[in-house]
């Protein structure tokens, strides 16, 4: 089954404690991206990757890092999380037709 | 600047009634347009897309949307709503250069029995 998986699905952490949200796809898409969803704001792109080793900032990249060492994986890294990064995060694969993972709900206290 | 506006934050319709969700976009060229649905606690599922050609596009679950260039709109329609259609609906425009999806704020659909 074609899918995008994310882990963890839920995470509660404290300010400043580094964390990584993993994303993996089995559809062989070159393009992957990360979005955050906040009430009343819809989804906003954080980072995207056109291909392995090629990443670029989206609309809200501050406080986030990504890496793309292999085609199927695109982890999102928060080196020093802050409460304003409390949000619902989605990974997506595909460029002109994007397929979304189930989401990761992150709470930073 | 590219943007998407969904004027209705919340809509309630009776089961069996018709539905139209509005979407207006701002984009410099012919856009790629999408509608996604998000059920509570779920990810986003693609309902339909418009890239070019026929301006009336059919999607899954009985949904359709019409691209109207003159009105910069891409409204979603369904002739008869089912209780299972209750969800949040997002319209999006695709940036052809970066691949980014620019989303509207979303419309929450409630279905009355």
């Amino acid at each position: 089954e074609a899918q995008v998986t994310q882990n963890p699905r839920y995470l509660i952490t404290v300010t400043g404690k580094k964390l990584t949200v993993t994303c993996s796809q089995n559809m062989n898409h070159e393009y992957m991206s990360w979005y955050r969803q906040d009430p009343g704001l819809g989804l906003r792109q954080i980072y995207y990757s056109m291909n392995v080793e090629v990443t670029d900032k989206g609309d809200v990249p501050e406080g986030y890092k990504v890496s793309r060492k292999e085609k199927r994986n695109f982890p999102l890294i928060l080196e020093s999380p802050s409460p304003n990064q409390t949000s619902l995060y989605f990974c997506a694969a595909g460029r002109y037709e994007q397929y979304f993972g189930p989401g990761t709900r992150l709470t930073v206290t | 600047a590219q943007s998407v506006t969904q004027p209705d934050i919340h809509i309630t319709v009776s089961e069996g009634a018709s539905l139209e969700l509005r979407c207006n976009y701002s984009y410099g060229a012919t856009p790629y347009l999408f509608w996604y649905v998000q059920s509570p606690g779920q990810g986003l599922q693609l309902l339909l897309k418009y890239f070019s050609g026929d301006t009336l596009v059919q999607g899954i679950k009985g949904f359709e949307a019409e691209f109207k260039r003159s009105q910069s709109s891409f409204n979603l329609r369904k002739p008869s709503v089912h209780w299972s259609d209750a969800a949040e609906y997002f319209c999006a425009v695709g940036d052809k250069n970066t691949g980014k999806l620019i989303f509207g704020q979303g419309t929450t659909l409630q279905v009355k029995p």
Side-chain angles (χ1 to χ4, degrees):
Chain A
E1 178 191 358
Q3 60 180 354
V4 178
T5 58
Q6 295 178 227
N7 283 292
R9 294 289 312 280
Y10 302 90
L11 180 59
I12 301 173
T13 190
V14 297
T15 298
K17 185 177 181 182
K18 181 179 179 180
L19 68 91
T20 299
V21 183
T22 65
C23 173
S24 183
Q25 54 113 353
N26 63 2
M27 295 176 282
N28 204 35
H29 285 299
E30 293 182 340
Y31 188 100
M32 297 183 73
S33 56
W34 277 100
Y35 294 83
R36 61 177 287 173
Q37 182 181 12
D38 301 290
L41 297 177
L43 285 84
R44 296 173 291 168
Q45 192 184 58
I46 303 171
Y47 268 96
Y48 65 96
S49 171
M50 294 270 195
N51 211 331
V52 175
E53 303 293 358
V54 180
T55 63
D56 208 345
K57 297 176 180 178
D59 291 328
V60 288
E62 296 77 19
Y64 304 95
K65 283 178 56 177
V66 293
S67 69
R68 187 90 182 276
K69 292 184 169 46
E70 49 189 341
K71 184 182 275 191
R72 66 182 290 121
N73 295 324
F74 189 43
L76 179 70
I77 303 156
L78 286 71
E79 298 230 328
S80 183
S82 62
N84 64 11
Q85 292 178 297
T86 292
S87 188
L88 180 58
Y89 292 88
F90 288 100
C91 179
R95 179 168 179 170
Y96 298 112
E97 191 167 321
Q98 295 190 19
Y99 297 92
F100 285 79
T104 295
R105 186 167 293 281
L106 172 65
T107 301
V108 184
T109 62
Chain B
Q2 305 151 348
S3 65
V4 176
T5 301
Q6 295 179 243
D8 305 304
I9 296 173
H10 194 107
I11 282 185
T12 300
V13 300
S14 297
E15 191 167 16
S18 63
L19 171 70
E20 182 169 27
L21 302 182
R22 297 183 290 164
C23 172
N24 294 98
Y25 68 88
S26 173
Y27 190 78
T30 300
Y32 292 165
L33 294 162
F34 307 85
W35 275 98
Y36 283 87
V37 61
Q38 183 180 30
S39 299
Q42 302 296 314
L44 280 82
Q45 181 181 23
L46 179 65
L47 281 176
L48 47 78
K49 61 185 182 289
Y50 172 79
F51 287 168
S52 65
D54 193 346
T55 57
L56 184 63
V57 294
Q58 302 297 320
I60 62 171
K61 304 186 180 189
F63 286 93
E64 67 178 26
E66 187 171 13
F67 168 57
K68 292 186 177 180
R69 185 189 305 276
S70 61
Q71 299 177 18
S72 297
S73 69
F74 189 57
N75 294 349
L76 182 71
R77 301 194 293 250
K78 186 170 185 178
S80 177
V81 169
H82 187 263
W83 63 266
S84 60
D85 293 324
E88 189 161 20
Y89 292 79
F90 291 95
C91 180
V93 63
D95 184 307
K96 295 177 183 178
N97 292 324
T98 68
K100 173 177 66 178
L101 290 177
I102 302 141
F103 285 86
Q105 304 93 320
T107 298
T108 300
L109 172 66
Q110 184 179 0
V111 180
K112 292 190 302 184

